[in-house]
Amino acid sequence: MAQGEKTKRKIHAPGTLVLVFVFLAWFIALYVLQWSLLARGWPIR
């Protein structure tokens, strides 16, 4: 075994993680917005 093979490879993808959180935040915002619009337009009596 060569000396360089002992080190573990790390996955380095910070841009992908940022994109995932951006889309997650976008879908959560849309979900909350849709519920608030539905609550305004369809009141419970």
Side-chain angles (χ1 to χ4, degrees), residues 18-34:
V18 169
L19 251 148
V20 166
F21 283 121
V22 165
F23 278 115
L24 182 66
W26 175 252
F27 287 125
I28 288 172
L30 283 180
Y31 183 79
V32 170
L33 177 67
Q34 292 299 320

Side-chain angles (χ1 to χ4, degrees), residues 3-11:
Q3 240 180 345
E5 292 180 20
K6 289 185 179 181
T7 60
K8 288 185 177 181
R9 289 182 147 179
K10 292 184 180 179
I11 297 173

